[in-house]
Amino acid sequence: MAKLSPKGRMTGVSGPVYFRTLNNVQIVQTRPDRSNQNKENNPSAKLFKRTAYSLKILRRSIELFLGNRYESTAHQRLMGQVMKALRKNTTLPITETTVYNTSIEDIIGFEWNTKQLFTDTFLGDIALEVLTDNKLSVKIDTFIPIEQVVFPPLCTHASIRIEGFFMNDMDANIGNVTNTLSIDFSKSDKVVESPLFKIIVPAGSDLRVVVAEIQFFYPINNNPNQLTLYNGKDFNPSVVVYVGR
């Protein structure tokens, strides 16, 4: 509702126009028509809303795995990459597109912490393969720590951790049968050989995401038998290494 100011100028809304003052000049502008911007009837807005809800559920499990050590921008960055992947779909109408029926493999390589990238910290290779018996095989190629792992100052030990996360089209997390896979090593190890890990894929999963992180440890008072975790919110190299349906 428009009002008359003590100086005789109108401010506020009156019917199809609104009044304001700019640099001591009275300005009258037409109100924009937002009738067709109703989010409830906007397919793109609906896609964004249901995608955000699905990712929120997925993130809760991943964040637990990461010990809540992730960058504050991770949510927004992940959402942006997933939406970009979904919009590439030219087969399904936008009203039917979900993370469960459309590939979001573009998020492979997504870093949860851009201040210290996993790919800049661990220079070895992690290979994943889908097996016929509803399993994923995970193989970390043989590596030399001193050459292929960037240790933070004073850190002497490290652990590469890998875990799978599974959801169905009811936006429900499916329990992971396989425990977190990990391989521990020290900076002084001449070479590290990893066994062939297997992740069991629960029945009924429509979205499969595998995340890897590397944790570093340093000795307390130079005692190699008393190690403490170096990683924190500002330093937790972690990455999406596999996405499938």
Side-chain angles (χ1 to χ4, degrees):
M1 180 177 178
K3 296 180 181 180
L4 187 65
S5 72
K7 294 184 179 181
R9 291 177 179 155
M10 298 290 291
T11 58
V13 177
S14 178
V17 299
Y18 69 94
F19 302 86
R20 65 190 182 96
T21 300
L22 178 63
N23 294 330
N24 239 9
V25 178
Q26 177 82 72
I27 297 176
V28 182
Q29 290 180 285
T30 303
R31 296 177 65 186
D33 180 12
R34 294 189 172 91
S35 59
N36 56 357
Q37 297 182 21
N38 189 334
K39 291 186 178 181
E40 293 301 319
N41 300 319
N42 187 327
S44 293
K46 287 184 176 181
L47 173 62
F48 185 92
K49 184 176 180 180
R50 64 174 173 265
T51 302
Y53 181 75
S54 300
L55 289 184
K56 180 179 180 181
I57 296 172
L58 175 66
R59 286 199 323 266
R60 285 174 178 170
S61 295
I62 296 176
E63 289 165 1
L64 183 63
F65 164 70
L66 297 176
N68 290 319
R69 294 180 295 272
Y70 56 90
E71 209 166 53
S72 60
T73 63
H75 298 174
Q76 183 178 359
R77 290 189 292 106
L78 180 63
M79 184 66 183
Q81 287 193 25
V82 170
M83 287 297 294
K84 187 176 180 179
L86 293 178
R87 290 194 179 104
K88 290 183 178 180
N89 179 14
T90 58
T91 304
L92 293 173
I94 194 171
T95 53
E96 298 177 16
T97 301
T98 71
V99 296
Y100 306 110
N101 60 23
T102 304
S103 172
I104 57 170
E105 290 183 355
D106 286 359
I107 70 168
I108 294 176
F110 175 82
E111 298 272 359
W112 294 90
N113 190 311
T114 59
K115 294 179 181 179
Q116 183 64 40
L117 303 182
F118 182 95
T119 49
D120 287 343
T121 307
F122 178 67
L123 308 182
D125 292 324
I126 301 177
L128 284 96
E129 181 182 358
V130 180
L131 303 178
T132 56
D133 54 353
N134 215 32
K135 294 178 182 176
L136 296 173
S137 70
V138 183
K139 177 63 176 177
I140 301 175
D141 286 353
T142 300
F143 62 94
I144 301 172
I146 193 66
E147 296 180 359
Q148 293 169 277
V149 180
V150 180
F151 281 77
L154 304 180
C155 288
T156 57
H157 291 71
S159 177
I160 297 176
R161 305 171 67 244
I162 299 173
E163 187 162 320
F165 305 90
F166 309 94
M167 292 181 63
N168 62 26
D169 60 3
M170 300 299 290
D171 281 329
N173 275 321
I174 302 177
N176 192 343
V177 180
T178 310
N179 294 327
T180 299
L181 309 174
S182 66
I183 178 169
D184 304 324
F185 57 94
S186 70
K187 188 175 183 179
S188 60
D189 289 340
K190 292 184 177 180
V191 65
V192 177
E193 295 185 7
S194 168
L196 180 66
F197 294 120
K198 289 185 179 180
I199 297 176
I200 299 174
V201 179
S205 63
D206 299 305
L207 177 62
R208 308 167 181 181
V209 178
V210 179
V211 176
E213 76 163 353
I214 183 166
Q215 294 182 346
F216 292 95
F217 302 87
Y218 61 91
I220 300 175
N221 296 325
N222 293 321
N223 185 345
N225 297 318
Q226 292 185 346
L227 301 175
T228 190
L229 181 65
Y230 178 88
N231 297 47
K233 272 189 173 292
D234 292 332
F235 182 98
N236 197 64
S238 43
V239 67
V240 174
V241 293
Y242 172 83
V243 177
R245 293 187 288 122

